[in-house]
Amino acid sequence: MGLEAVVNEIREKGRKEVEAVRAETRAEVEEILRDAQVRAAEIKLSAEEEAGRVAARTTNQEVSAANLVVKRQVLNAQKTLLDQVYSASLAAVGDLPAEFQEKALTDLLKRAAKEIKKGVVHVNERDVPVVEAIISRQKTLSGYTVGAPVEIPGGVIVESTDGELQIDYSYGTFLDEVWESGLKDASDILFA
């Protein structure tokens, strides 16, 4: 064998080894690429799932916040309506007929006389003449005098002559008591 044949044989052997290395490298590159694609797909799926969770959480938070705003607005509207009902009730009681007012004031004064024998009666300006007439007619109320008018929708406030005791039988006080005890019932009726 000549030198040229040995060189050709070495070249052929080198070429075969180069091709084998290239094939092996191609196979490794393809495997690395496949692994990278699988990993990329996993990362993409994980990112999509996380984005879905974040979107769902954000949506839930926004819906909850919107529901809270709506609920607050409804409660504010209900409170406004209840305040209007309260004011209308108080005005309606104060606007009852004169006969009713006289009877109610008489009953309230008799009730107060059981606790305060002598005192000063305060009423709104409209009821001063009525209370003066009631006191002059009723013997049990002879220890009472009419004091300065007060800003109440109706009823009486009686103060003992020594100023140590005061009884508030104003319509506003009675309505407050009824309102507090019946507010839930009124709310249920109005907003059920």
Side-chain angles (χ1 to χ4, degrees):
M1 224 179 172
L3 185 58
E4 199 166 301
V6 170
V7 169
N8 282 341
E9 188 179 311
I10 291 175
R11 276 191 191 152
E12 187 60 30
K13 192 176 179 183
R15 188 183 55 75
K16 286 182 181 177
E17 283 181 22
V18 167
E19 286 201 25
V21 168
R22 281 185 184 158
E24 188 179 314
T25 303
R26 260 187 252 117
E28 285 179 14
V29 167
E30 287 175 7
E31 185 177 334
I32 290 171
L33 287 175
R34 275 193 304 272
D35 288 347
Q37 287 173 343
V38 168
R39 182 71 181 126
E42 289 172 355
I43 291 171
K44 180 180 176 184
L45 181 62
S46 176
E48 287 173 352
E49 288 173 353
E50 179 62 23
R53 284 191 296 272
V54 169
R57 189 173 341 131
T58 302
T59 300
N60 288 341
Q61 288 173 343
E62 292 298 321
V63 167
S64 293
N67 285 337
L68 187 61
V69 167
V70 168
K71 187 172 185 172
R72 186 176 299 124
Q73 289 174 343
V74 166
L75 289 173
N76 286 340
Q78 288 176 345
K79 183 182 181 326
T80 300
L81 183 59
L82 287 171
D83 289 345
Q84 291 171 354
V85 168
Y86 178 87
S87 297
S89 300
L90 201 53
V93 169
D95 291 339
L96 289 170
E99 309 82 53
F100 172 84
Q101 296 290 356
E102 185 172 347
K103 182 175 178 351
L105 292 171
T106 302
D107 291 344
L108 292 173
L109 286 169
K110 286 179 182 178
R111 187 172 164 190
K114 292 177 184 175
E115 297 181 50
I116 298 177
K117 301 298 179 202
K118 292 183 179 185
V120 180
V121 178
H122 299 281
V123 294
N124 62 35
E125 195 167 333
R126 176 197 68 214
D127 293 334
V128 169
V130 176
V131 170
E132 287 174 339
I134 293 169
I135 290 174
S136 67
R137 283 195 313 260
Q138 298 285 324
K139 299 265 188 236
T140 57
L141 303 175
S142 62
Y144 283 175
T145 59
V146 177
V150 290
E151 291 293 322
I152 57 175
V156 297
I157 298 174
V158 179
E159 186 176 347
S160 63
T161 51
D162 60 10
E164 290 186 19
L165 183 61
Q166 184 182 49
I167 298 174
D168 185 349
Y169 287 152
S170 65
Y171 294 166
T173 300
F174 288 120
L175 183 59
D176 287 345
E177 289 174 13
V178 171
W179 193 256
E180 288 300 318
S181 66
L183 183 59
K184 181 177 179 348
D185 294 335
S187 181
D188 288 346
I189 290 168
L190 288 171
F191 309 116

